[in-house]
Amino acid sequence: MNAAHAAHAAPEPHDWASRAESAVREAIGQAGAAALAGCWAAIAQRPVPTVVLYGPQNAGKTSLLRRLLTEDGTTVPAWAAVSARKETFAADAVESGGLRFVDTPGLMAGDPQHTERAQAALTEADALLLVLNRRGLAADRPHLLAVATGTHFHADRPRPFPAGALLPVVTMADRWGADPGTEEFHELVRESRRALHAQLAPHTGERSAPAAHVVAADPYQMAAGVPAGELRPEHYLLGDEWDGIAALRAALHALAGRTAELRAHTRTRFWTRHAAAALEAGRAELAESEAALAGAGRRRDRALLFEARLDAACAAASARLRALLREELARLVDAAPPAEGDEALRRRAETRLATATGAWRAAAAEEVRRLAFAARAETAAAAAAPGSEAFAAYVDEVVELLRSGAAEAPDPTAPAVTPTAAVWLGLGPLAMAVRHETRRRLREHHAGHAEETRRALADFTADAARDADTPAPGQAAPPPAGTAPDPGAWQADSDPAADDGAAADQPGGDGAAYAFDAYGPDPYAADAYGYPGGPAADAAGGGAHPGHAAEAVVALVEEALVFAAWYHLEHRTRKQAADTAREAARRAARRRAAIDDLTERIAAGCEEDWLRLVAATRTAIRARIPADALVDPLRAEHDRLRGAVATLEQVLGELPL
């Protein structure tokens, strides 16, 4: 081994490769990692170095391989055919002269699968024949530079081929217009070498830039029409003095004794490439799970916000009701004429309280309904947000899982390939393995908690159905299927036909009919989607009986009149003025306490069914919060992916430069 080889034969971090393999396994799962490890095991067991022929389409890779095999006395396999058409569609291998040659499809052939198969073969290459035409790297400069400098395997920590293992070859020198063997021809050869060196040196370093070989693999295409199995060295006798093949063969034969050294570098490149691919795929999957969790969190936060708004609205409505009742009761007591009888006072109290609480009830119910409508409208508007779409897509996957019984489906992480099928080593299948591993874990969890997941999905899908048809505030909610419309929904008055002449008996005597009593709103029905609708048209009644409240008002008025007469009588006696003031204060306090007590009793009756409406609205809002049965498995996978990505980042960061 010469000094240059020794300088590049520094021991590669074998323990690093083991850590990289473990990190990849964490990202893609046991089955995918086992297939990948099997691919490497097949590579590691090869007794001779693998030389991959790599380059653009029609650069002469197959022609060069045919010549090398023929010169070694190896029978050329039938798949090594040459023509003006595409002939190489897969990465085929053949052993010759102590080396294993792999011919790859040409780059830039207009077929992505050809490019993927060719790039997959790079990960098993112990050495590389970079086969180019006279334009050198110009055909696909960024990619070919990445391969030559090792950044193809990792952008930040390049893994180049060791010295002597990267052999740039410029082919078809016999077609450059100069007579082979002449000084003009040799000058063109030297110019071609200098041009390729100038393209590589700025990126590899002046000393590390590999020397180019300029060859004419099939001089004058004399052997192009000879069947592969019939090729002999004599088919190439016309150019054996100037075609450059002898120097190239010597460089290749020097690789035959470096199997262990080259294979150590190959192992590092192999796991570097796949760790980087797994990291890219893991980051993409992590971003998707983060978006889905963000969508779920957004739904939860918005639902909690609307619940807080509902609480605030309820507190304000309840405070308004009590303030209103206190004011009305105080007015009734203060304004009661001394000669007014108990029955007249009772009727006046019922009328005043019915009017006040009826208006409050309509306003409070409409406020709750507007809030429910706003919650549904906001959820529908937010459904198009990226996170919401990601979470909805995740829910769709879970729905499909439970619908199709996919829990018994075969594990998709195990690719249907043999360990030697290098095409599986491409980035695309590895990204699929990361995704399939995540889906497999989610599938196993939901299959093991099927009933819990179904209940969570029932709430989620029912919530989506409610959003599909939301009535605006002030409009009647659609009735359940199979029922007659409710003309009285969200209206204060009832159907006049239902009064049956009893309107004159209602409070006020003005023919006004109420679908509720003064102190207890009627039950609130649910709409067709499970959300609270308007008050029922029939008067169910509820809360305190109007007669009881009116009698309490009468008692307060009588007490106030007696106190007023006594106060005026006693007030004339100055001697008792102070006692009278104290007694008046005590009686005023008792009066306020009585009004407060009556206010609470009346309010409790008024709020009883309204609070049921609020509770139904709260339930509908909270139904928008994704259940833990849906979110927890997703969060667990997110945490696993985050750990896998962090491990891959750490391992790749430890790769020596």
Side-chain angles (χ1 to χ4, degrees), residues 14 46-49 126 255-266:
H14 294 284
R46 292 168 185 160
V48 297
D126 297 315
L255 298 172
R258 300 172 59 190
T259 303
E261 172 212 342
L262 297 175
R263 192 63 47 77
H265 286 274
T266 303

Side-chain angles (χ1 to χ4, degrees), residues 352-427:
R352 292 281 297 273
L353 293 176
T355 301
T357 56
W360 173 87
R361 171 179 136 153
E366 181 67 6
E367 185 176 12
V368 172
R369 185 164 181 255
R370 284 181 184 277
L371 190 61
F373 178 85
R376 285 176 283 186
E378 195 277 340
T379 300
S388 297
E389 289 183 348
F391 182 69
Y394 161 67
V395 172
D396 289 342
E397 289 184 10
V398 178
V399 171
E400 185 61 29
L401 160 68
L402 296 181
R403 179 180 299 150
S404 61
E408 291 76 25
D411 188 349
T413 59
V417 297
T418 62
T420 58
V423 69
W424 189 81
L425 305 182
L427 175 60

